[in-house]
Amino acid sequence: EAGVVQSPRYKIIEKKQPVAFWCNPISGHNTLYWYRQNLGQGPELLIRYENEEAVDDSQLPKDRFSAERLKGVDSTLKIQPAELGDSAVYLCASSGRADEQFFGPGTRLTVL
Amino acid sequence: GENVEQHPSTLSVQEGDSAVIKCTYSDSASNYFPWYKQELGKRPQLIIDIRSNVGEKKDQRIAVTLNKTAKHFSLHITETQPEDSAVYFCAASPYYGGSQGNLIFGKGTKLSVKP
């Protein structure tokens, strides 16, 4: 079984530039999560999808962050414009009927 | 909302010794408690989990205990090996209105096993 796939793995941009991250969850997993992990911290949820519906986006900074999961499979997380404080690892995870969440390798974002 | 605290933040043990990491949670509705291991630059991986209807669970050298009354749960690693060196995260998830809530993670424990 293929795991959660994320791209790119690394991204370096200058502040005020836009950036997008892509996630392909494990086949058949209806629930998809985007997390942000700051250095030395645990993952913090940004948004949770059940199929196409964003069921919890309360922690997503909506002034600059957006996400979509149009067909209930792949998902994209976008930041526009990026700020210095957005430097972090962005993790995608998915889960099926059980509660276990499987994480992708993450995208390490550096904002200069 | 749920809040999870994890201690210690760093832990150094000799190979073969045991390691214990402790977490407390605040929401009595939490009923699912996974532990993740994250090696440097890698993804978090589930190593063991426990539900609130069970007090202890063991998988080879790893065990987790849960005390619902005190709202704390612990990870125990016996006969530690250098490859156990990583950051370990605990998490808790509440159950509300028929659905499982989001995972709230602790800040992590960096475990170093010295050969």
Side-chain angles (χ1 to χ4, degrees), chain B residues 16-103:
Chain B
D17 287 351
S18 295
V20 180
I21 302 170
K22 299 182 179 181
C23 289
T24 60
Y25 62 98
S26 61
D27 192 338
S28 58
S30 287
N31 70 340
Y32 176 61
F33 307 92
W35 286 87
Y36 284 84
K37 174 183 180 182
Q38 188 174 31
E39 297 178 39
L40 189 63
K42 301 285 183 65
R43 71 187 76 192
Q45 291 193 304
L46 181 74
I47 55 172
I48 195 167
D49 57 10
I50 192 168
R51 295 192 177 274
S52 57
N53 59 343
V54 176
E56 184 174 357
K57 185 176 178 181
K58 189 173 182 180
D59 182 5
Q60 299 183 339
R61 298 187 295 109
I62 294 173
V64 58
T65 58
L66 171 65
N67 183 325
K68 287 190 296 182
T69 303
K71 294 182 187 171
H72 66 70
F73 55 113
S74 300
L75 178 71
H76 305 253
I77 305 174
T78 59
E79 301 174 21
T80 53
Q81 302 169 1
E83 51 264 39
D84 294 329
S85 296
V87 178
Y88 291 81
F89 293 98
C90 64
S93 171
Y95 190 82
Y96 292 126
S99 65
Q100 199 70 45
N102 300 319
L103 283 178

Side-chain angles (χ1 to χ4, degrees), chain A residues 26-38:
Chain A
I26 292 173
S27 177
H29 281 191
N30 296 328
T31 309
L32 184 146
Y33 311 80
W34 282 103
Y35 290 88
R36 177 167 57 191
Q37 186 175 26
N38 292 312

Side-chain angles (χ1 to χ4, degrees), chain A residues 11-13 19 21 79 86-90 107-111:
Chain A
K11 189 73 176 179
I12 301 174
I13 61 171
V19 65
F21 314 123
I79 308 175
D86 295 332
S87 295
V89 175
Y90 290 83
T107 296
R108 182 177 296 278
L109 174 66
T110 302
V111 182

